[in-house]
Amino acid sequence: MSDATPHLGLPLIAASQAQKHVTHNEALGLLDALVQLACLDKDLTAPPPSPAEGDRYLVVAAEPGGAWAGLAGQVVRYGDGVWTGAVPRAGWLAWLIDEADLYVFDGVAWTSLSRTLTAIQSVSRLGINTGADATNRLAVKADAALLTWDDATPGSGDMRVFVNRKAAARDAALVFETGYAARAMLGTLGSDDFSLKVSPDGAAFATALTASARTGGIDFASAETALAAAPITDLGGAGTRRVLVTGAARIASFGAAADRERFVRFSGAATLVHDPEALALPTRADLVTAPDDTCIAASDAAGRWRVHHYQRADGTPLATGAQVLGATGSVRLPGGLIVQWGLVTAADADVAVAFGTAFPGSCLGVWAQPVAGAGAALYVAQVSDVAVAGFTLRTRRATAGSVAGAGAVPTYWLALGA
């Protein structure tokens, strides 16, 4: 039978042993030293100069000096003026008071648990405030989670999160859920294109946008939402960029939603009411829609809408519709023909007239007509020097058989070109 316990090496009292109290007291001393083990330090290579009764140290130095000679790798205790060592066994724990850290002996060396925890590797599951499982091997239950750049090592100042997949046909995604049912997925989903998919039920998904991996172009997928024409036809609340406006009501507003853009198609003869502070139209006048007319409308930060472009389905320009034409203006007709007109009242009889916009190709002709005046005089307008940018207007007056130049005669002109 052994004379010491197998784990702590406590001396056992032998049969018929004299002075049994010595063995018993030695065993109690070892228990006092090793149970609830808390050591003052582990980095000394020799005993401190003035130890106190019961002081304990880990001797990790390979060749300690002084009274610790021969006690390398042991737990030492000071008692009755003597340093006594105990050989540690695998699994022993020791609290290091000077480091405020817990160490464990693995059979060879003492290892810091806190440093081990900061370098955890190959953990099969990790749950923070919740339980991880075979599918969700990392699980976190919290109101927020923060990933930030490394300012301790220090790092580069960058912070990147990598989501890697096996092949382009697989998914690398962030999935957003409601009640553990997916509502949106963002990432590379089944291809190398980057996309956003949304779902009302976690089963059927619609693609909201796609960014091409090859070109970088963004494609927005959007269904056309139908809205009935009404005094307030709320385009901003439609939820899609494409909107079909049905019916023939008068529309005074597209709603109050700020910073929205909509592509609008009309199916009937609705009337858009021009209002610079609510619904500004390119004609600056009320506009009657026709089936399949389209427009682009956008609102500003105050929710005021403006139609930036309006296209009639039959190709007719807005200026030739039921709008009031100004005294001077131009219009491009279907097929490319351009009509320009104006009113000239010049002090001189001969005046150079410039077109509002130069014809891109050629001027086909200019016609001029003085405004009829009172009296016996007869006024005649002549046109010369016709070019793509303008012409010369010569105004003449015939009185009692004589012809002379005449100024200050209001004269209308009309020009055709392409």
Side-chain angles (χ1 to χ4, degrees):
M1 178 178 177
S2 173
D3 59 357
T5 61
H7 298 297
L8 295 181
L10 304 178
L12 297 174
I13 299 174
S16 304
Q17 176 182 327
Q19 295 186 322
K20 296 180 175 58
H21 66 281
V22 175
T23 303
H24 177 69
N25 290 342
E26 183 181 353
L28 290 179
L30 284 172
L31 285 174
D32 183 68
L34 301 179
V35 175
Q36 300 292 346
L37 180 58
C39 298
L40 294 174
D41 200 345
K42 67 172 180 56
D43 300 315
L44 300 182
T45 59
S50 301
E53 188 76 12
D55 283 355
R56 292 168 293 181
Y57 291 85
L58 295 184
V59 181
V60 299
E63 296 182 2
W68 287 358
L71 300 179
Q74 298 187 32
V75 179
V76 297
R77 174 179 66 96
Y78 185 76
D80 297 326
V82 178
W83 289 99
T84 304
V87 178
R89 305 288 182 90
W92 282 23
L93 298 174
W95 177 257
L96 267 294
I97 296 173
D98 66 325
E99 298 180 20
D101 193 3
L102 184 64
Y103 278 72
V104 61
F105 187 71
D106 61 6
V108 177
W110 291 93
T111 303
S112 163
L113 281 183
S114 66
R115 281 179 231 162
T116 301
L117 291 176
T118 60
I120 292 177
Q121 298 186 47
S122 300
V123 177
S124 60
R125 297 181 187 179
L126 178 61
I128 300 176
N129 201 34
T130 187
D133 55 39
T135 300
N136 302 295
R137 297 181 184 180
L138 171 63
V140 179
K141 181 183 287 186
D143 287 340
L146 173 65
L147 301 176
T148 185
W149 69 280
D150 179 9
D151 59 351
T153 304
S156 64
D158 297 327
M159 177 62 212
R160 297 183 178 94
V161 177
F162 296 88
V163 181
N164 188 41
R165 59 184 177 168
K166 180 179 180 180
R170 311 300 296 179
D171 291 345
L174 297 178
V175 181
F176 301 89
E177 297 183 330
T178 298
Y180 299 104
R183 290 296 182 266
M185 294 192 297
L186 182 67
T188 49
L189 308 172
S191 74
D192 284 331
D193 294 339
F194 185 82
S195 62
L196 168 64
K197 295 186 178 183
V198 293
S199 172
D201 55 12
F205 285 84
T207 301
L209 66 86
T210 302
S212 170
R214 183 176 61 85
T215 66
I218 297 179
D219 180 27
F220 291 93
S222 176
E224 187 178 65
T225 300
L227 289 179
I232 298 177
T233 304
D234 188 8
L235 298 185
T240 60
R241 299 186 76 199
R242 296 170 53 227
V243 180
L244 172 63
V245 176
T246 63
R250 288 176 63 84
I251 301 174
S253 170
F254 282 157
D259 299 322
R260 296 292 191 275
E261 182 183 59
R262 295 292 182 262
F263 298 93
V264 186
R265 182 168 66 93
F266 299 92
S267 67
T271 299
L272 303 181
V273 180
H274 174 69
D275 182 347
E277 296 302 318
L279 180 55
L281 303 176
T283 58
R284 298 185 181 181
D286 294 356
L287 194 156
V288 178
T289 70
D292 286 329
D293 283 4
T294 58
C295 74
I296 299 175
S299 63
D300 60 17
R304 295 171 298 197
W305 287 83
R306 178 177 296 276
V307 174
H308 293 285
H309 174 75
Y310 192 98
Q311 178 65 53
R312 292 193 182 278
D314 62 4
T316 304
L318 290 181
T320 61
Q323 311 299 326
V324 177
L325 301 181
T328 300
S330 66
V331 63
R332 182 184 294 271
L333 301 177
L337 185 65
I338 299 174
V339 181
Q340 298 198 55
W341 64 92
L343 173 64
V344 177
T345 304
D348 297 329
D350 297 348
V351 61
V353 179
F355 296 135
T357 303
F359 290 105
S362 62
C363 179
L364 304 178
V366 180
W367 294 263
Q369 176 63 53
V371 177
L378 176 63
Y379 293 93
V380 178
Q382 298 175 340
V383 174
S384 64
D385 305 323
V386 177
V388 294
F391 62 95
T392 299
L393 178 64
R394 307 178 189 279
T395 307
R396 299 294 181 263
R397 179 179 61 189
T399 304
S402 64
V403 178
V409 179
T411 303
Y412 287 108
W413 58 267
L414 176 69
L416 298 179

